[in-house]
Amino acid sequence: MGNEIQLISDGDGLAVIGDPAAVERFLVSEGLPSKDLGLPRLGSVLKAGSTAAQVGSEIAAHSGRWVQLTKESAEAVQKFGLMPSKTPGVSHAMVGQPGSIQSWLQISKGPAAIAGNPAVLAGAAGIMAQLAMQQSMKEITDYLATIDEKVDDVLRAQKDAVLARMIGVGFVIEEAMTIREQRGRVDEVTWSKVQGAPTTIAETQAYALRQLDALAEKLERKSAIGDLAKAAREAEAKTQEWLAVLARCFQLQDAIAVLELDRVLDESPGELDGHRLGLKAARQNRLELITRCTERLMARMDAAAGRANTKVLLNPMDSPAVVQSSNHVSIAVVDFHGRLGIEGARQSSEARRWADAAKEVRDKALETGADSVGVAMRLGNETLGRAKWATGKLSSRIAERTLRRRGDDEKE
């Protein structure tokens, strides 16, 4: 086994298990950054018996590393042809460096004790799910750090009762995660402290989503460009704040899921795989809910920018301001999506300057040909004609009055 390793993937990450030296060689040769898998924790899923003893000895002798699957790392391991296992969503392969061959190749040798044991494979998938969520939590921490002032304004200085409860729950969850890091598990006492946290977090998430929906609806109701500019500026100011709240909620929900998986791993290892899949589905549902809400807001901002652009000639100050606010909101949402792993991109709207709009009107008049020019001239002549008619009418009345007065004077 010195030159053979096992690869296990759950779609979000890759576990590399084998002799410590072989694992290190593989990761270096493929240029894959990794972190410790925590392989010894799989011992809790083993039952008594000769098979358990064999797998236990395999675990003790092996090293496990976890690689986050990005686009680049996924391409790097795709060539090894991982095959689906009996554990839903999990695939595996054996690779090695036979003889003097330097490159790693898939080998036809049967699966080793770890990959061939369904319970251990499910346990490995559970630990990998935890690592993926912890990586996501770290990225959200980095995201919140970049908007620290907004976090101060919203998360630390809020008088709203809903957000205040969420802040308190956050402290309790962080304490539980610290204890987990120190002890390597989640005991009953630690778990009892956080059992009610999901309800509070869900309430806060729903509250933040409603606030974003309210901003979007306000934009839709405004028709006058001045009112639209005011609503757009408000959306620009508030969106980042509520995105920070949503990010913190998502981070705490991932933390609860990590603690849950530890608890199930200890208490009911046979249910670990089902619980992992349930948590994954619930997480995806939350992502879709957040995506729909934030995309609605971007759509309303886009529509507002479109309306503003059509009226830029008459509103040279407010129209560009609406577009600028729309772009700022979109940048904030796209950044937020990236931190949560939501795919998608949006191009910023481009504000039409007054001079560009005027030039466009002129160019369109030239491009439409004689008919359009005739229409323009006719409209212009009609306007001028009406003005001349009104002026002539007024002049005639003045002249008539003058003549009438002269006649009266002559009679006198």
Side-chain angles (χ1 to χ4, degrees):
M1 284 290 294
N3 291 322
E4 298 169 2
I5 58 173
Q6 301 170 66
L7 303 180
I8 303 172
S9 174
D10 64 350
D12 295 318
L14 177 75
V16 184
I17 301 172
D19 179 80
V23 169
E24 185 65 23
R25 286 200 306 273
F26 174 81
L27 293 171
V28 171
S29 66
E30 298 298 326
L32 299 174
S34 67
K35 61 175 61 177
D36 183 41
L37 179 64
L39 199 59
R41 295 171 57 205
L42 293 180
S44 61
V45 305
L46 301 176
K47 298 179 180 179
S50 58
T51 303
Q54 178 189 356
V55 176
S57 63
E58 288 277 354
I59 291 174
H62 282 26
S63 169
R65 303 291 296 179
W66 179 80
V67 177
Q68 182 182 17
L69 282 184
T70 61
K71 181 180 179 181
E72 293 75 17
S73 59
E75 291 174 354
V77 300
Q78 187 177 9
K79 60 187 176 184
F80 296 113
L82 276 67
M83 300 296 293
S85 70
K86 294 181 180 180
T87 302
V90 177
S91 57
H92 67 91
M94 290 284 293
V95 300
Q97 287 181 313
S100 60
I101 298 177
Q102 295 300 311
S103 60
W104 293 86
L105 305 172
Q106 185 180 14
I107 56 179
S108 58
K109 186 177 179 179
I114 293 178
N117 187 303
V120 177
L121 200 58
I127 294 174
M128 292 167 67
Q130 287 179 310
L131 290 170
M133 286 185 286
Q134 286 177 284
Q135 180 63 31
S136 175
M137 290 167 60
K138 181 182 180 301
E139 290 173 3
I140 292 175
T141 297
D142 295 341
Y143 166 72
L144 294 175
T146 63
I147 53 172
D148 189 61
E149 290 183 3
K150 298 298 183 184
V151 178
D152 285 339
D153 293 342
V154 181
L155 299 184
R156 299 175 188 172
Q158 269 291 337
K159 297 179 180 178
D160 191 282
V162 176
L163 295 184
R165 288 197 299 273
M166 190 268 286
I167 294 168
V169 163
F171 291 144
V172 175
I173 293 174
E174 289 173 355
E175 179 183 306
M177 292 294 287
T178 301
I179 295 172
R180 172 186 181 268
E181 288 296 321
Q182 294 296 319
R183 297 198 58 190
R185 59 187 292 266
V186 177
D187 58 25
E188 187 176 351
V189 174
T190 303
W191 177 243
S192 66
K193 295 178 181 179
V194 298
Q195 279 182 298
T199 301
T200 301
I201 300 170
E203 289 175 356
T204 308
Q205 176 184 281
Y207 184 78
L209 290 172
R210 285 199 302 270
Q211 297 303 313
L212 290 176
D213 278 337
L215 293 174
E217 289 168 6
K218 186 177 290 187
L219 284 165
E220 193 173 33
R221 291 196 300 266
K222 303 301 181 183
S223 56
I225 292 298
D227 294 339
L228 191 61
K230 183 178 179 181
R233 284 193 293 269
E234 182 184 356
E236 179 184 357
K238 296 294 185 181
T239 295
Q240 183 74 84
E241 298 177 0
W242 293 115
L243 291 180
V245 174
L246 286 177
R248 179 59 171 162
C249 288
F250 201 83
Q251 184 184 48
L252 293 177
Q253 286 162 332
D254 272 352
I256 287 290
V258 170
L259 296 171
E260 275 189 40
L261 287 173
D262 261 4
R263 192 67 185 145
V264 175
L265 185 64
D266 270 2
E267 295 295 315
S268 307
E271 300 175 6
L272 181 63
D273 202 53
H275 201 78
R276 172 184 68 86
L277 294 174
L279 288 174
K280 185 174 183 179
R283 189 177 193 271
Q284 184 60 36
N285 289 340
R286 292 198 303 272
L287 282 174
E288 290 174 0
L289 178 62
I290 291 171
T291 301
R292 287 195 298 271
C293 177
T294 50
E295 285 185 347
R296 274 199 302 271
L297 177 60
M298 283 204 295
R300 303 288 167 79
M301 293 299 293
D302 274 346
R307 295 203 303 274
N309 265 338
T310 63
K311 300 180 180 181
V312 67
L313 277 173
L314 300 177
N315 300 272
M317 299 297 292
D318 286 335
S319 289
V322 173
V323 179
Q324 185 179 37
S325 294
S326 173
N327 287 339
H328 288 167
V329 168
S330 298
I331 290 169
V333 172
V334 169
D335 184 27
F336 170 77
H337 282 183
R339 302 293 182 150
L340 267 61
I342 299 172
E343 295 182 356
R346 176 191 180 278
Q347 292 183 346
S348 296
S349 301
E350 183 180 354
R352 291 168 56 194
R353 292 183 299 132
W354 189 92
D356 292 339
K359 181 177 181 294
E360 182 178 325
V361 171
R362 184 199 67 189
D363 292 344
K364 283 184 178 179
L366 294 174
E367 290 172 1
T368 51
D371 292 340
S372 295
V373 172
V375 170
M377 290 177 65
R378 185 172 66 252
L379 291 174
N381 290 336
E382 287 175 359
T383 303
L384 182 60
R386 290 192 188 99
K388 287 181 177 179
W389 176 84
T391 303
K393 195 75 172 174
L394 180 60
S395 299
S396 298
R397 288 176 181 173
I398 294 173
E400 288 174 1
R401 288 176 184 173
T402 303
L403 290 173
R404 211 178 290 123
R405 288 174 181 172
R406 287 177 180 174
D408 293 339
D409 291 343
E410 288 175 356
K411 287 179 181 179
E412 292 175 359

